[in-house]
């Protein structure tokens, strides 16, 4: 357990270490070519050190409900099963079984370490699989994402489920394994049915223009008929009762989050630039881009609902992959390494800006 860091400074340490790594990476992008041996040594060594340290830092954090919200709830559930409690069936059953099995072989602290591994390792795996020796840039973008920390220490079950989805995508060329992990992600958290359904649609049709039009249309439809869509999806049940509760509790009274809509446009702008302007042709990228547009359009329709951030994350977890993918697959710019460094800085800049607003008094 890492208990020498004050809990109120836990995120502060994380965000500022991330800032240092982003700045060092930016400096390397200015001074070295992407495939320069010195740069590859830097990215490999820093990448693996960061991977291990971030798993340990998050996995061995002290148990706290005040600073890590739902962590205390997960800990209480673990202790309940450790004392012989009956299996809870009203939530995601597979995750409950997972917790119960863990109680027989590990302590509650080790359980959170395992959760950190399940959340973070797939980000490394999908980055390594797709981008080989340049995996560090993709992994770094995952970790410095605005949504990374909340689902590492709070919405743990949702975070693990989306990471299992990423793990599934890393087996894109091995369809039986990919399908197995996609099913597993939904068993961990039923809300993953949305991106799974969206990804399945793209297997049949993956023209970005069509889904881009749908995404744009979702904005006026939400502004004009927000409560209507919440009522529709609530009546459908949409996977489980909790989702219906999130929607119906919104009541259309929450404000339209233009700031989050702006954030959601980052991969849209990036994807449109490389697909339409640079004519980047990649079957998997098209599918991931379209999956993002479908899932994010759904969130826009219910953006005023209670806990709409939970719906936003069903697309946001793909954001960093969509932004960095073209830059690590093909050469699109004369000074491509500099562009990569600038993209990393700009993407992390939003995260740090939000940190400054919400954490610095």
């Amino acid at each position: 357990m890492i208990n020498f860091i004050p809990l109120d400074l836990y995120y502060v340490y994380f965000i500022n270490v991330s800032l240092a790594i982003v700045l060092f990476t930016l400096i390397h992008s200015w001074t070295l070519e992407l495939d320069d041996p010195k740069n590859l040594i830097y990215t490999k060594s820093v990448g693996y050190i960061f991977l291990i340290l971030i798993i340990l830092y998050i996995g061995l954090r002290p148990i706290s409900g005040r600073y890590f919200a739902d962590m205390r709830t997960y800990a209480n559930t673990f202790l309940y099963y450790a004392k012989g409690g009956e299996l809870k069936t009203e939530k995601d059953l597979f995750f409950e079984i997972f917790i119960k099995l863990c109680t027989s072989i590990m302590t509650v602290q080790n359980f959170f370490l395992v959760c950190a591994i399940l959340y973070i390792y797939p980000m490394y795996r999908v980055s390594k699989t797709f981008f080989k020796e340049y995996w560090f840039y993709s992994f770094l973008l995952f970790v410095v994402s605005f949504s990374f920390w909340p689902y590492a220490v709070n919405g743990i079950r949702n975070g693990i489920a989306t990471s299992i989805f990423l793990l599934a995508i890393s087996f894109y060329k091995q369809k039986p394994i990919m399908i197995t992990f996609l099913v597993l992600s939904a068993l961990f958290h039923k809300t993953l049915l949305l991106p799974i359904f969206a990804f399945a649609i793209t297997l049949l049709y993956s023209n970005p223009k069509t889904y881009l039009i749908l995404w744009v249309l979702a904005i006026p439809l939400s502004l004009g008929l927000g409560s209507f869509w919440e009522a529709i999806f609530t009546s459908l049940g949409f996977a489980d009762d909790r989702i219906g509760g999130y929607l119906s509790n919104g009541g259309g009274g929450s404000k339209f989050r233009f700031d989050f809509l702006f954030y959601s446009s980052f991969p849209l702008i990036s994807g449109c630039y490389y697909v339409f302007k640079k004519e980047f042709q990649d079957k998997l990228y098209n599918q991931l881009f379209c999956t993002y547009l479908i899932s994010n359009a759904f969130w826009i329709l219910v953006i005023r609902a209670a806990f709409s951030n939970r719906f936003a994350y069903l697309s946001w977890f793909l954001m960093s992959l969509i932004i960095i993918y073209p830059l690590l697959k093909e050469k699109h710019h004369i000074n491509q390494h500099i562009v990569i460094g600038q993209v990393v800085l700009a993407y992390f800049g939003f995260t740090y800006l939000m940190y400054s607003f919400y954490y610095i008094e």
Side-chain angles (χ1 to χ4, degrees):
M1 181 184 298
I2 301 177
N3 54 14
F4 56 87
I5 298 175
L7 290 182
D8 59 330
L9 297 178
Y10 223 81
Y11 182 66
V12 176
Y13 276 63
F14 164 77
I15 197 71
N16 284 291
V17 169
S18 298
L19 172 62
I21 294 175
V22 167
L23 292 178
F24 275 117
T25 302
L26 180 66
I27 292 171
H28 275 77
S29 73
W30 286 339
T31 57
L32 298 170
E33 293 295 328
L34 183 62
D35 58 355
D36 189 297
K38 292 181 181 178
N39 183 60
L40 294 178
I41 290 173
Y42 164 77
T43 56
K44 183 178 181 180
S45 57
V46 172
Y48 281 119
I49 292 172
F50 195 39
L51 169 64
I52 294 171
L53 289 182
I54 199 64
I55 288 175
L56 294 177
Y57 187 70
I58 291 175
L60 298 179
R61 68 191 184 281
I63 296 173
S64 170
R66 178 181 178 185
Y67 292 99
F68 306 126
D70 287 351
M71 187 183 187
R72 173 58 64 184
T73 301
Y74 288 107
N76 290 340
T77 300
F78 184 96
L79 296 175
Y80 165 77
Y81 286 138
K83 295 177 180 178
E86 293 296 321
L87 194 66
K88 300 177 182 179
T89 58
E90 68 274 12
K91 294 185 178 180
D92 297 284
L93 181 59
F94 193 88
F95 187 76
E96 296 297 318
I97 294 173
F98 166 68
I99 299 178
K100 191 171 180 64
L101 288 175
C102 286
T103 62
S104 62
I105 57 176
M106 64 185 69
T107 64
V108 64
Q109 188 64 69
N110 287 335
F111 165 72
F112 285 111
L113 179 60
V114 170
C115 287
I117 293 171
L118 291 176
Y119 179 56
I120 298 169
Y121 172 77
M123 299 176 185
Y124 159 75
R125 158 81 193 191
V126 74
S127 300
K128 183 72 172 179
T129 300
F130 290 161
F131 311 121
K132 310 303 180 186
E133 66 267 31
Y134 305 125
W135 65 270
F136 167 72
Y137 299 99
S138 172
F139 178 72
L140 180 60
L141 230 61
F142 274 118
V143 174
V144 301
S145 295
F146 169 61
S147 55
F148 172 82
W149 186 261
Y151 289 90
V153 303
N154 183 15
I156 298 171
R157 179 160 42 101
N158 197 354
I160 291 175
T162 54
S163 285
I164 295 175
F165 184 101
L166 292 175
L167 188 63
I169 298 303
S170 73
F171 289 100
Y172 181 74
K173 294 182 178 180
Q174 299 166 275
K175 291 299 190 288
I177 300 177
M178 183 184 75
I179 293 171
T180 299
F181 279 117
L182 286 175
V183 172
L184 185 60
S185 70
L187 290 174
F188 259 79
H189 205 288
K190 294 186 184 74
T191 57
L192 266 292
L193 289 173
L194 174 60
I196 291 172
F197 176 70
F199 186 72
I201 292 176
T202 67
L203 291 171
L204 302 174
Y205 183 77
S206 58
N207 187 336
K209 288 184 180 179
T210 301
Y211 298 115
L212 178 61
I213 292 171
L214 292 175
W215 187 91
V216 173
L217 286 175
I219 299 173
L221 288 174
S222 179
L223 286 169
L225 301 168
S227 58
F228 169 77
W229 298 112
E230 292 160 21
I232 287 292
F233 290 121
T234 299
S235 66
L236 292 175
F238 204 74
D240 66 29
D241 293 337
R242 285 168 299 151
I243 297 179
Y246 298 155
L247 294 170
S248 60
N249 289 338
S254 300
K255 63 181 181 180
F256 192 95
R257 295 302 301 266
F258 284 100
D259 53 346
F260 284 174
L261 182 64
F262 170 70
Y263 179 63
S264 294
S265 70
F266 293 175
L268 183 143
I269 294 171
S270 177
C272 287
Y273 176 77
Y274 288 106
V275 171
F276 302 131
K277 176 73 173 178
K278 293 293 186 178
E279 299 182 343
F280 176 59
Q281 299 295 320
D282 186 288
K283 182 180 178 181
L284 175 59
Y285 184 74
N286 265 8
Q287 287 184 241
L288 292 175
F289 184 40
C290 293
T291 298
Y292 175 84
L293 291 173
I294 296 169
S295 301
N296 196 253
F298 169 83
W299 165 69
I300 292 173
L301 292 176
V302 298
I303 197 170
R304 294 185 183 85
F307 305 104
S308 72
N309 62 303
R310 295 175 185 264
F311 299 110
Y313 190 62
L314 296 175
S315 54
W316 284 356
F317 79 97
L318 292 171
M319 187 178 290
S320 56
L321 190 59
I322 292 169
I323 289 173
I324 202 66
Y325 191 110
L327 287 166
L328 299 179
K329 279 292 186 178
E330 288 185 5
K331 186 174 178 61
H332 297 282
H333 308 277
I334 296 175
N335 298 312
Q336 182 128 325
H337 197 197
I338 293 177
V339 173
I340 291 172
Q342 292 172 337
V343 166
V344 172
L345 179 64
Y347 188 67
F348 174 68
F350 181 87
T351 302
Y352 204 86
L353 183 65
M354 296 300 284
Y355 152 75
S356 300
F357 276 127
Y358 289 105
Y359 286 87
I360 297 178
E361 298 180 354

